[in-house]
Amino acid sequence: MSHTFHIPVLGLSYSIDTPIKVAKFGISSVASIVDDTLVERMRQYYCQQLNEEFIPIGDGEYDCRAKRITAYLNLMQDIVDDEFAALRNQPFEPLSDITRYFQLLPESSAQKIKYQQMQKISDPADQYRAQEQLRTDLQVGSIDVNIMSKVDKMNFAADKTPLGDSFSDALAALRGFAKSRLKSSVVISAGLNPRLYSYLENFSCFFPDHSGLTEKRIILKVSDFRSANIQAKFLAKKGLWVSEFRIESGLNCGGHAFATEGFLLGPVLEEFKQKRQQLQEELFLSYQAGLESKGFKVGQIPSMRITVQGGIGTASENKFLIDHYGMDGTGWGSSFLLVPEVTNVDNESLVELANASKDDFYLSNSSPLGVPFNNFRKSSAEKLRLDRIAKGRPGSPCTKKYLVSNTEFTKEPICTASREYQKLKLEQLAAQDLPQEQYNTQFDQITEKSCLCKGLTTSVYRKNNMLKAREEQAVAICPGPNLAYFSGIYTLDEMVKHIYNKLDLLPQSERSHMFINELDLYIDYLENYLDNHNNSM
């Protein structure tokens, strides 16, 4: 790989087209494919930008969710291919993209070393030959996708009959990726989903060809060694190989936070370091047997990368993770929210993030999934939520229904952030005649749930002038707490230079080491847990 870092998925929309913006420079990134409506609107947007015909895939079309995802991913691949080909043919001039490609590389990169050697060649013919070799060595960044295994709602036909397991949200998204022309990876997060994992067997692209290579790879996002081992063995027995484990801090991350039972990132990384070879060999035995049961033969253990993400803020931390723990790479997510040419943060939110203090970032219970969620106090979605409560109309109209799960009051699942659910739940609360303090606590817990389906997509619509009439303009954003230490708006070049220790974007920051920050987060998490469960313990 050209770079030692990747850009993880950022919400539903913040990295929805990041691969288009960075892949030509050899940087890999991850786009969410949860929201097929967003995916379809992004395809329309790029077709308009390219003056290409856009043929919509309507809601009533058979397998529309998977087809939309396939169409958008194919379009992204076409755009990246065209831009990469154009970059490859550019002259080695100061402001050309091909020059920028090499300038962005880390000093340790073999490509960078060859580029620097080429610059010192005085003979024009020899320099030309060296440049042609550099063009041959160029590597495009991977266009990876993310599927959150917990977001797997069952879907129904117009006559309310169930469409079946293969049309659930996660499985349809996987099918959309599998049928695309991408030769990249699906990043599966949020834990083991047996139905989704078993469905992977239906696609030949996840199995090796006669040369032992797979067209599409599987990456698992994990928070500890035990869960990684369990999930990977489940897949290996089916003849499916995990090509990469992305270890993420349980709390020092963006979006949903899957807290461990106090297992901190340092010891987790040490366990992976100590047991890496053992894990690979044990998985290979199951993988080999699983493939043989399907008529495949494999004699060599496939490669397995282990990377880490969550709360990395300095070049020294980045280097330590790679050098000490033997990580194959790192993930830098939230900091790229302050890089407008890479991610989709609307101007209002961008200014708020750049000027935010540490207290503006907090771990909330706002997600309808019931999983702690890193939130931003100054987001316009948070302001809208409080405004609705003040007006006596808490909750949000539920239109997308990706996070419906509650059947406490209704036969069909509804979302706990919806106006329908919160109205019913607050009526139930009022009937209990609780002491005021207890009532207020439960009222806040009910109304803290916020609509993420709309809020996490609005920013890209605002930034690209894609909002439709009467669409909500409130933006939800979910950066990790580490973003508090970055106070500026940056270019791609500046952020990459910061990662590789060529520029310090935190020169006057009173920031503790990422491991200390994580420890503080876990102490706060434990204290809040004890406070909230004091009456039941």
Side-chain angles (χ1 to χ4, degrees), residues 180-249:
S180 74
R181 294 197 301 273
L182 296 188
K183 293 182 179 180
S184 60
S185 302
V186 57
V187 182
I188 302 177
S189 59
L192 175 62
N193 177 340
R195 181 171 64 188
L196 174 64
Y197 283 26
S198 298
Y199 191 57
L200 285 158
E201 289 184 272
N202 289 271
F203 303 101
S204 60
C205 56
F206 294 109
F207 293 99
D209 59 20
H210 64 277
S211 61
L213 300 176
T214 55
E215 180 184 312
K216 291 180 171 66
R217 298 171 297 280
I218 300 168
I219 296 175
L220 294 184
K221 188 189 291 186
V222 296
S223 56
D224 60 70
F225 183 86
R226 180 176 175 274
S227 67
N229 194 9
I230 291 172
Q231 293 180 70
K233 282 184 177 176
F234 185 96
L235 292 167
K237 289 175 182 177
K238 300 177 182 298
L240 297 163
W241 185 254
V242 176
S243 66
E244 181 180 335
F245 292 100
R246 288 193 172 166
I247 308 164
E248 185 172 67
S249 168

Side-chain angles (χ1 to χ4, degrees), residues 406-425:
N406 187 281
T407 54
E408 185 178 356
F409 302 106
T410 56
K411 184 177 180 180
E412 290 187 11
I414 57 176
C415 179
T416 55
S418 68
R419 183 165 293 158
E420 179 184 10
Y421 172 81
Q422 293 191 11
K423 180 176 182 295
L424 293 168
K425 192 66 177 175

